[in-house]
Amino acid sequence: MAIPLNYNLNSLRVRWSSTVVAVLGIAGTVGVFVAVLALAKGFKTTLVASGSPGNALLLRGGSTSEMSSAISLDQEHIIEDAPGVARDSSGPLVSGEVVVIAPFPLKATGTDANVQVRGVSPKALAVRNIKVVSGRFFQPGLDELVVGRNVAGTYSGFDLGNTVKFGGGTWKVVGVFDAGGSAFDSEVWADAHVLNGVYKRPENNFQSVTVRLTSPEAFQHFKDTLTSDPRLTLDVERELEYYDKQSRALTTLITVLGTLVALVMGVGAVFGALNTMYSAVAERSREIATMRALGFGTGSVVTSFVFEALCIAFVGGLIGCLGVLPLNGMTTGAMNWQTFSHLAFAFRVTPPLLVGGIVFALIMGVAGGVPPAVRAARARIAVALREL
Amino acid sequence: MVRVDGSGNGSSLVRVRGLDKKYQRGSEEIHVLQGLNLDVDRGDFVAFMGPSGSGKTTLLNLLGGLDLPTRGTITVAGDEITHLSGGKLTTWRARHVGFIFQMYNLIPVLTAFQNVELPLLLTRLSKSERKQHVETALQVVGLGDRMHHYPRQLSGGQEQRVAIARAIVADPTFLLCDEPTGDLDRKSADEIMDLIDRLVAEHGKTVLLVTHDPVAAARAHTLLHLDKGVLVEAHRAGSTAGGRN
Ligand SMILES: Nc1ncnc2c1ncn2[C@@H]1O[C@H](COP(=O)(O)OP(=O)(O)OP(=O)(O)O)[C@@H](O)[C@H]1O
Ligand SMILES: [Mg+2]
């Protein structure tokens, strides 16, 4: 049987002040680690929420984002006739869309930030299952805007009935829509034809086409039909996959940078833990020797001190996790690097991230606990017993 | 019978033959034990005296399997411990040795009860059996009412009695006491020696005691002096060397 756990727990309680540095080091590291991953997670969640499982997104073949894509109205008509396209009373649920970027003043600072303005079909609401929560949707052919709820809250000038100027046109704000926390909440929508006209872009040209399918299962047949059509060279993707890909670059960047920072901090935290545990072992060398004299083996001593280090790490990890928990749901903005527009999203501190934080803490505990524990077990009993 | 001339027969509980211990201190070599012989029977109570630095602690550490000799053999109850590997020696200590130290060496963050329970954690006893053994041991040393006190809440004499309870609780083959009264006043020291006397007389324990205190040493059946690395029998008034009371 092992050295009783209350030996370590009581020792920790008695000399808690010497563990503070180690605990805080690990807490800080875990806090940064979890916060960064929560940021990446929130960003990804927001973008991926923009896709619906039953939707397909079409871009010109070889395009990586809407910005570099072009699809003609003729092509759109072919798409409308493809199998699997959902319909309502007004016809196929297909939205040919264009995007532009326009600067608007932030409420908080008064300085301009970029907003993605999307020209959509009047059917865009039905295609995406998005609802107007105040005012109304734009009238086709008019210079009217509906804005995502984040835009209404973040930028000044978007009150209902106001007019705003951009792209050489004057627009009237007629409604606010709720896109359920997705990236569309950070967008401004107008009629695609009107937007093309104002921006003097070729009429009858879109950048992307979003299609509502009769069901997610209809996708494969829909895609096969379009990709084998010799009149078209289009990339057909599930909308979810497109946004997942769009989020990947920034998510990866945040994750890699954040992990690097956490690792560097982790090295420091491990040294803090090593320091604490080495001094614990040194202070208690006669206790350890006594246990060894009583017949506890080297394995028991190693286990005992590693357990003690793990307790310190666990408390540190817990504090780190609790510290970042209030960030959960806190909204922030970031540049959507694909389009250089301002995208609002929230930290998402999920249970798996918290578990990851605790595991990271425990790994630091092992790294900081094993060498001192081995030293404790290796000490020669007869020599250690002579020390006072 | 206690013998120091290597003439003991095979029946001794503890048999030491040709024990050498050298320490290296820098370039200097200290030859502490030099071909020491010793035979101790079951139930004996032996005291070792000798000037500071003569090697008394060294001898007890070797007898208790805390250190290995440079040369020579130690056999306890038929087991030659000088050939045991580290892990086996640890297991052997748990079964056969009860240590009592000058500084008590209680674990400060554990109660008297928990300190005394430690050796039992290395046995197969159940929790309730352990509780029973611990309570008995603490009652033997007269601390049945101090079980849940921490060492810092006890006097030196009481701490040493807890340490004695810890040493006897697993019923070891012999007790090794290194100056158990060295840190105590006369009265507490006498109480500790009374207790050790009783362990020998009433419980049949075998005790090897190192002490600087002639009063304490006088309690032993046999008094040995450590002199120039070997043991010699001391001649005392009122007692036959090597005899039993
Ligand atoms: N680990 C060691 N390394 C070097 N020398 C040692 C070591 N341990 C003990 N010694 C030396 O061995 C000699 C005997 O020491 P030991 O502690 O056995 O003496 P002792 O008789 O118990 O003395 P005291 O009465 O002061 O306790 C001393 O000279 C001591 O300095
Ligand atoms: Mg000594």
Side-chain angles (χ1 to χ4, degrees):
Chain A
M1 206 162 169
I3 295 172
L5 299 184
N6 61 5
Y7 167 63
N8 305 97
L9 298 176
N10 294 353
S11 296
L12 282 172
R13 225 178 27 229
V14 168
R15 41 194 309 286
W16 67 270
S17 59
S18 67
T19 67
V20 165
V21 173
V23 168
L24 290 185
I26 288 171
T29 306
V30 168
V32 167
F33 179 70
V34 173
V36 167
L37 292 186
L39 197 71
K41 178 82 188 162
F43 178 75
K44 188 182 175 79
T45 306
T46 300
L47 269 187
V48 171
S50 308
S52 314
N55 280 12
L57 188 109
L58 296 89
L59 299 176
R60 182 174 65 190
S63 307
T64 52
S65 78
E66 291 177 273
M67 287 297 172
S68 55
S69 166
I71 298 177
S72 72
L73 188 60
D74 295 340
Q75 290 174 317
E76 200 221 19
H77 289 318
I78 299 172
I79 295 166
E80 285 178 352
D81 293 335
V85 176
R87 288 164 186 278
D88 68 3
S89 52
S90 64
L93 295 181
V94 172
S95 176
E97 305 188 346
V98 293
V99 288
V100 300
I101 300 298
F104 293 102
L106 286 166
K107 271 184 182 168
T109 59
T111 53
D112 282 356
N114 284 328
V115 175
Q116 182 153 291
V117 180
R118 181 179 295 272
V120 301
S121 138
K123 288 182 226 165
L125 286 184
V127 169
R128 294 230 171 71
N129 231 339
I130 287 174
K131 290 187 176 52
V132 170
V133 289
S134 65
R136 58 171 175 80
F137 202 58
F138 62 76
Q139 298 251 335
L142 294 185
D143 294 355
E144 291 181 343
L145 299 176
V146 284
V147 302
R149 57 174 184 171
N150 284 337
V151 173
T154 313
Y155 297 86
S156 49
F158 284 109
D159 299 325
L160 279 187
N162 259 19
T163 52
V164 294
K165 286 178 196 282
F166 68 88
T170 304
W171 307 80
K172 185 166 183 221
V173 180
V174 299
V176 176
F177 62 85
D178 182 347
S182 73
F184 299 122
D185 276 331
S186 298
E187 288 186 347
V188 170
W189 285 5
D191 185 320
H193 294 290
V194 177
L195 195 64
N196 269 344
V198 167
Y199 273 78
K200 302 193 171 56
R201 290 186 175 186
E203 208 184 337
N204 299 335
N205 230 340
F206 303 112
Q207 285 172 298
S208 67
V209 172
T210 302
V211 178
R212 182 162 202 87
L213 299 171
T214 49
S215 73
E217 292 72 40
F219 175 79
Q220 200 56 45
H221 186 44
F222 171 78
K223 175 176 178 172
D224 291 345
T225 307
L226 290 182
T227 46
S228 60
D229 190 320
R231 295 167 294 177
L232 303 171
T233 48
L234 295 177
D235 282 342
V236 184
E237 268 185 297
R238 288 185 190 274
E239 204 184 13
L240 279 177
E241 275 160 26
Y242 171 77
Y243 284 105
D244 185 52
K245 265 198 278 181
Q246 293 296 299
S247 71
R248 216 165 285 159
L250 188 57
T251 305
T252 308
L253 185 77
I254 297 174
T255 307
V256 168
L257 282 181
T259 306
L260 279 179
V261 170
L263 281 181
V264 170
M265 290 182 69
V267 170
V270 165
F271 274 103
L274 280 171
N275 190 39
T276 297
M277 290 311 296
Y278 271 125
S279 67
V281 165
E283 280 171 33
R284 280 143 66 189
S285 63
R286 204 155 58 97
E287 289 173 29
I288 298 162
T290 303
M291 302 263 206
R292 299 273 290 113
L294 293 180
F296 288 96
T298 49
S300 300
V301 172
V302 171
T303 310
S304 179
F305 278 87
V306 169
F307 170 76
E308 195 164 319
L310 286 177
C311 287
I312 292 175
F314 182 73
V315 171
L318 213 56
I319 292 175
C321 284
L322 291 178
V324 297
L325 213 48
L327 285 180
N328 191 30
M330 198 179 280
T331 306
T332 175
M335 298 296 275
N336 176 350
W337 287 20
Q338 234 71 33
T339 57
F340 298 103
S341 63
H342 200 261
L343 172 68
F345 62 96
F347 280 91
R348 226 160 268 265
V349 186
T350 60
L353 283 189
L354 294 176
V355 171
I358 297 286
V359 169
F360 185 31
L362 294 181
I363 289 171
M364 288 188 275
V366 170
V370 167
V374 168
R375 176 185 287 185
R378 284 238 180 108
R380 291 184 49 207
I381 309 168
V383 175
L385 280 174
R386 288 171 192 273
E387 290 167 11
L388 283 182
Chain B
M1 276 295 279
V2 174
R3 292 171 183 276
V4 295
D5 54 3
S7 69
N9 58 29
S11 71
S12 350
L13 179 72
V14 179
R15 185 152 57 122
V16 180
R17 290 292 178 270
L19 198 65
D20 262 37
K21 183 66 181 177
K22 296 177 187 170
Y23 288 115
Q24 199 74 36
R25 194 155 46 195
S27 57
E28 195 188 355
E29 196 173 67
I30 311 161
H31 205 158
V32 182
L33 303 182
Q34 308 180 22
L36 181 147
N37 295 317
L38 175 67
D39 287 86
V40 177
D41 281 341
R42 204 174 287 276
D44 271 332
F45 180 7
V46 190
F48 301 99
M49 293 189 82
S52 184
S54 56
K56 306 180 295 296
T57 297
T58 300
L59 175 60
L60 277 202
N61 285 348
L62 292 174
L63 289 171
L66 296 179
D67 205 353
L68 291 173
T70 312
R71 199 156 4 122
T73 59
I74 299 171
T75 311
V76 177
D79 298 325
E80 190 179 321
I81 64 166
T82 32
H83 282 163
L84 292 180
S85 67
K88 288 216 175 89
L89 200 54
T90 303
T91 315
W92 176 84
R93 278 199 304 273
R95 260 228 324 280
H96 294 282
V97 193
F99 288 101
I100 300 167
F101 305 95
Q102 177 177 357
M103 302 307 296
Y104 331 129
N105 287 14
L106 298 178
I107 306 300
V109 299
L110 299 181
T111 62
F113 183 96
Q114 291 164 338
N115 265 285
V116 176
E117 192 185 19
L118 283 175
L120 297 181
L121 296 176
L122 297 160
T123 67
R124 295 229 172 104
L125 295 181
S126 71
K127 197 175 160 73
S128 63
E129 289 170 320
R130 292 203 303 267
K131 185 167 186 285
Q132 219 177 335
H133 280 70
V134 172
E135 285 172 359
T136 306
L138 280 167
Q139 273 150 17
V140 167
V141 301
L143 287 176
D145 56 343
R146 293 284 199 280
M147 283 199 269
H148 303 294
H149 285 54
Y150 285 91
R152 64 172 184 281
Q153 298 168 322
L154 299 171
S155 71
Q158 287 171 331
E159 280 196 73
Q160 192 59 297
R161 282 193 270 157
V162 174
I164 291 172
R166 183 177 67 183
I168 62 173
V169 73
D171 194 23
T173 306
F174 60 169
L175 297 179
L176 298 176
C177 319
D178 196 352
E179 302 186 40
T181 60
D183 225 44
L184 299 173
D185 58 47
R186 183 76 261 156
K187 183 167 168 293
S188 306
D190 286 342
E191 284 168 10
I192 293 297
M193 289 316 301
D194 287 345
L195 182 54
I196 292 176
D197 262 349
R198 263 178 47 222
L199 291 176
V200 177
E202 293 171 21
H203 299 267
K205 303 285 176 198
T206 308
V207 174
L208 283 71
L209 166 83
V210 164
T211 184
H212 280 290
D213 176 5
V215 180
R219 308 264 194 148
H221 307 159
T222 308
L223 176 60
L224 300 177
H225 273 286
L226 192 52
D227 186 24
K228 300 190 188 76
V230 294
L231 289 168
V232 292
E233 288 184 59
H235 297 283
R236 296 186 306 198
S239 163
T240 322
R244 304 278 298 268
N245 290 5

